[in-house]
Amino acid sequence: MVGTGALVGIALVALGMVLTPGPNMVYLVSRSVTQGRRAGLVSLLGVAAGFGVYLAAAVAGIATVFVLVPALYTAVKLAGAAYLLWLAWQALRPGGQSPFAPQPLPPDGARRLFTMGLVTNLLNPKIAILYVSLLPQFIDPARGHVAAQSLLLGSTQIAVALTVNALIVLSAGSLAGFFARRPLWLRVQRLVMGTVLAGLAVRIAADRSRAAVALP
């Protein structure tokens, strides 16, 4: 139903996006460092639920709404770009913080950890754009049912994202210790993260493409 090239393509896109610093990475690392791996993994379950919401919307053909209402798609992109700029400022501003050197946080219960992971992912502009604009590019109506293709491609993206994020959660404490012993590297990490976030925000805001959708 779905070609090997499409599966490999969406997997590579998913890998590139999950390795780019963004809201999910910031939240998962911060929570894992301040409250431990268990809290990070519970938060990751919320992130997984957020992916499920996007996948269900993709299978239901939500991208069609953005095609029919371009202004709504533009609003989503600009809101996401603004959020990324805010995260970039938090990293780059004088006295800004790195997720690997978080401020002490009161421990949250499992329900709140799950909810925050879910909300963080639902508000993640990278994921919204992936499902609204990029995923449909890998769908070929000639190969069969569009919804089934969306389900398989989206499941591939989720598998890649959750695997990488789980590795980030499990290694967050070690990374935090590494940066704590090397303040210069911590400043470099903040600079790189902030620059990447700002660059991604500008690229999203300047993008003039329209939402794409594959129709049966």
Side-chain angles (χ1 to χ4, degrees):
M1 180 183 297
V2 177
T4 302
L7 288 174
V8 172
I10 197 67
L12 291 176
V13 169
L15 181 61
M17 296 190 79
V18 74
L19 291 177
T20 302
N24 286 349
M25 181 184 292
V26 171
Y27 177 70
L28 291 174
V29 169
S30 297
R31 184 51 63 184
S32 300
V33 171
T34 58
Q35 201 172 334
R37 291 177 177 176
R38 180 181 180 277
L41 291 174
V42 173
S43 300
L44 181 58
L45 289 177
V47 171
F51 282 130
V53 171
Y54 275 114
L55 178 57
V59 172
I62 193 65
T64 306
V65 176
F66 291 96
V67 172
L68 297 176
V69 189
L72 180 60
Y73 180 60
T74 300
V76 169
K77 287 201 301 182
L78 292 179
Y83 184 41
L84 287 177
L85 280 176
W86 180 80
L87 290 176
W89 168 245
Q90 295 303 305
L92 295 174
R93 66 182 174 84
Q97 293 295 317
S98 163
F100 294 104
Q103 296 296 315
L105 295 175
D108 287 331
R111 179 179 297 181
R112 179 170 175 78
L113 290 170
F114 179 89
T115 301
M116 288 302 298
L118 170 64
V119 172
T120 298
N121 200 21
L122 290 179
L123 295 179
N124 188 341
K126 293 195 303 179
I127 306 305
I129 289 174
L130 170 64
Y131 276 87
V132 170
S133 189
L134 296 180
L135 186 142
Q137 305 296 333
F138 295 93
I139 295 175
D140 181 2
R143 285 184 172 271
H145 201 278
V146 169
Q149 291 187 59
S150 297
L151 180 62
L152 182 55
L153 291 169
S155 297
T156 301
Q157 179 272 325
I158 291 173
V160 172
L162 292 183
T163 299
V164 175
N165 278 319
L167 292 174
I168 290 173
V169 166
L170 295 175
S171 61
S174 299
L175 289 173
F178 172 85
F179 284 118
R181 295 189 298 271
R182 299 167 177 82
L184 177 60
W185 281 95
L186 188 63
R187 290 194 294 271
V188 170
Q189 185 273 330
R190 281 178 47 208
L191 177 62
V192 171
M193 186 181 74
T195 301
V196 169
L197 288 171
L200 184 59
V202 171
R203 181 175 180 179
I204 290 173
D207 182 23
R208 293 294 181 264
S209 64
R210 298 190 175 191
V213 64
L215 298 174

